[in-house]
Each structure stands twice: as structure tokens, then as C-alpha cells.
Amino acid sequence: MRTQVCIIGGGPSGLLLSQLLDRAGIDTVVLERRSRDYVLSRIRAGVLESGTVGMLEKAGIATRAHAEGLPHTGTYLAVQNTGFRIDFDALIGKQVLVYGQTEVTRDLYDAREKAGGIVIHDLDGVELHDLDTDAPHVTYVKDGTTHRIDCDYVAGCDGSHGPSRQAIPKDVLTEFERVYPFGWLGVMADLPPVSHELIYANHPRGFALASMRSPTRSRYYIQAPVDDPLDKWTDDAFWDEFRRRLPHDSAEALITGPTIEKSIAPLRSYVADPMKWGRLFLVGDAAHIVPPTGAKGLNLAVSDVHYLFEALTSHYRDGDDHGIETYSQTALKRVWNAIRFSWWFTTTMHRFPGQESFDQAIQDSELRNLQTSVNAQTVFSENYVGMPY
């Protein structure tokens, strides 16, 4: 098979890149190791930056997001069971949209299917070849047969465990990492959210987040040891601990009941540099990981897609390779800004092992400053809603 851009990974970033390139007249093939049903079963975040919504509009797949998504013009922060609101709309005239990543992926699958896009599922042994030449190719095994795709470029949208980043020589790649000494215990419940906007809570017992997927489905988290056994956290144990960490008025309004999903996720910050080697581009989790505090993961992948789409369209339309040559430097500037914001928000809101009264007092002071300073709230809003591309 021959295509212009071979995309490794059929998650939202790979499908979005394929959809955008297709609309620009550039051929793609998407390779996804798992089945479509498996990809759509993954529970992921759902807070979309304004720039991400703009990219969905550009891809022609934003209709359902606008119809079913929940626009949020602000968010709540809490410290020691007392909360305050930051008004994005009043401060910077922007908002975020709560719309699940699974739904974004579903919309993209539907669009690629309608356009006749090639997405190949259920395969093994993906290998990238001759990336440092003018004739790269990708091989994979499906149903016991090895297949080959010749292409101009390869986009690695295959996450942190995929083969794309592994294809960059070790003496070329520099990796930066910070592992956090706790995890997020998350539950999903078909219950009305405790608040119409997100609540991020700092508490001496640990962090908590009240989020949602819809007016009838809640997504809640508490900070917990990453190696805690899930059976320790019965529904009653989770609700008791979650209630303790919320602002008092929210705790009183909380509706509890059976959970439909429960898991513990580790937290880390990670960056790979460079994000381009030869004819290979890294996109999304293949190049960087952020802790979920502030919901930057999907949004940062979409900004990579933006830069790569612009670079490839300039190449094929105008013969201009400046965007391709500078893709890594350009993308990494925004990556590091999001890494910094997520690190700051994580360290400000969580309880760390060995944390003393001084450390909690500093966190309290940081949040009080955010509560009282319009300038601090403006900077927070700019980062939370998303810096411009």
C-alpha cells in the first residue's frame, strides 16, 4: 500500500490528524493495534480548551459537541473546605467545553467512515523503517500476514507505549520526567453532578476533584496511594472520603449511589525531545504526558495536531518545508508551558508524603492569593482555557 502520511494510532489525535489532512486532499492510512470497540471503551478526560473546540470545528466534527457538550465559563477551587470561583468569561472572554474524549473519538470514527478513510484495526508487530531517508515505510502483521505501507511521512500518535518513540535513536532522544508519589482514584456514577462546574479541592487529607460527563453522569476523583488495592475502596469508603474533602456546601449537596467504573491512575510529567526525527513526527502521548490536574492531555495532543497539520499542508500545497523543519521546536514551546501549568497546579492542590504544616500553609497562601488577585486569576484562566497556538 502507498499513502502520503501513515498515522500510527487510532485514538483522537491520530483520527483528528487523518480527518484534517483528508479535508485538505492529503492521503492517510491509520493503523490501530486494538479494535474500534476497545478504543471507544477507554474512559478519558472531557474538558476541551477553546482551541480544541476550534480544531473540531475545522475538522467538521463539532456538531454533536456543541449540541451535547456543557459550556463552562469558570471553575471552582477550594482550600480547607471553603471554595471560590474563577470566572473565565469575565476575565479573558473564553470558556471550556465539557465533552468526553470517548465522544470526540466516536465523532471522529464516524467522520472517517463517512469519508471512506482507511483505518486498519486489530494488528500486531508495527515497525517503522528507513525514517531517516526519503522513502520511509511501515510494516505490520494482521491475521498472520505481514503488510507494508510506503509513505512520505509517519505520524506517531500511538501513546507512551507505542513503537514510534522507540524508533528514535537513544543518542538523539532526551527524556524529562517527574513521577508524583500518589495516584488518582476515579469513579464514574450515573448521578447528578454536585456542581454545574468543576471543583478542584485542596485539603489536608488530600486532593479531590468533582467533574462530570453530562447533567446525569458524574466523574469524581480523590488523591490516593497509587498502589492501593481497589477493593479497599468500596463505594461507601469513597463517598465518605470524597465528602470530607469538598467545600462544606458541596458536601451537603452531594448525591451518592452505586458507581459504574472505578480505577486508580498514576501521575507523572514526561517530555520527549525532539518530537521529530527524519520523516517521523511524534504527536500527543507519544511525546509527552501531563498529570490530569487541569485536563491538558487531550488538549495538548490537539495542539500538536494543529502544528503538524499546518506543516504538512504547507509542504504539499506550497512546497514550503519550514513548518516541517521547525515542528518539534514549535510544538515543544506549548508543551512545556502546559507541563509547567500542570506541575504547578498538581503541586499546589495535592498532599505530598512528608508534607509538614509549613507546606500546607504555603498551599493555603497560594490559593488565597489566587482568590484575591485578579491578575493571578487572569493568568490561571489563560492557562486553563488554553494558550493560543
Side-chain angles (χ1 to χ4, degrees), residues 5 152-157 164 168 275-283 286 308 311-312 323-325 327-328:
V5 182
D152 300 330
Y153 297 100
V154 178
C157 307
S164 295
I168 300 179
M275 291 173 58
K276 173 188 178 296
W277 183 70
R279 294 295 183 106
L280 169 67
F281 306 92
L282 300 183
V283 177
L308 184 52
L312 290 170
I324 284 176
E325 293 166 357
Y327 166 75
S328 181

Side-chain angles (χ1 to χ4, degrees), residues 45-49 52 96 184 198 200 209 211 290-300 338 341-342 345 383-385:
V47 178
L48 308 183
E49 295 178 356
T52 296
V96 294
W184 273 20
L198 274 66
Y200 293 87
L209 169 62
S211 184
V290 290
T293 328
K296 291 301 169 196
L298 172 61
N299 293 296
L300 203 51
F341 175 73
S342 296
F345 204 15
N383 282 273
Y384 191 95
V385 173

Side-chain angles (χ1 to χ4, degrees), residues 45 77 180 182 184 198 200-201 207-209 267-268 290-297 338-350 380 384:
L77 302 183
Y180 299 91
F182 42 73
W184 273 20
L198 274 66
Y200 293 87
F207 169 80
L209 169 62
L267 273 65
R268 66 179 180 131
V290 290
T293 328
K296 291 301 169 196
I339 289 285
R340 181 206 60 80
F341 175 73
S342 296
W343 164 84
W344 169 83
F345 204 15
T346 300
T347 55
T348 299
M349 300 303 294
H350 289 74
F380 178 91
Y384 191 95

Side-chain angles (χ1 to χ4, degrees), residues 3 29 43 60 78 105 110 114 128 195 199 242 266 350 352 375:
T3 191
V29 172
I43 303 297
T105 308
D110 291 345
K114 183 178 180 181
L128 289 62
S195 169
I199 302 173
F242 184 63
H350 289 74
F352 282 73
N375 290 336

Side-chain angles (χ1 to χ4, degrees), residues 55-67:
M55 289 292 287
L56 301 186
E57 293 168 347
K58 191 171 187 176
I61 60 122
T63 300
R64 196 163 69 95
H66 283 306

Side-chain angles (χ1 to χ4, degrees), residues 72-77 83-88 196-197 377:
H72 282 193
T73 59
T75 195
Y76 287 85
L77 302 183
F84 62 94
R85 183 173 185 268
I86 297 179
D87 191 329
F88 307 145
H196 70 284
E197 292 179 334
Q377 289 191 12

Side-chain angles (χ1 to χ4, degrees), residues 208-228:
L209 169 62
S211 184
M212 72 286 293
R213 288 295 175 269
S214 74
T216 60
R217 176 166 286 189
S218 298
R219 180 69 163 156
Y220 296 144
Y221 302 90
I222 59 172
Q223 174 187 345
V226 73
D227 56 355
D228 260 6

Side-chain angles (χ1 to χ4, degrees), residues 121-148:
H121 289 92
D122 298 305
L123 47 88
D124 293 304
V126 175
E127 294 184 8
L128 289 62
H129 307 270
D130 299 332
L131 298 170
D132 56 346
T133 74
D134 293 337
H137 68 278
V138 176
T139 57
Y140 65 94
V141 178
K142 183 174 175 64
D143 300 327
T145 301
T146 299
H147 301 261
R148 170 174 170 148

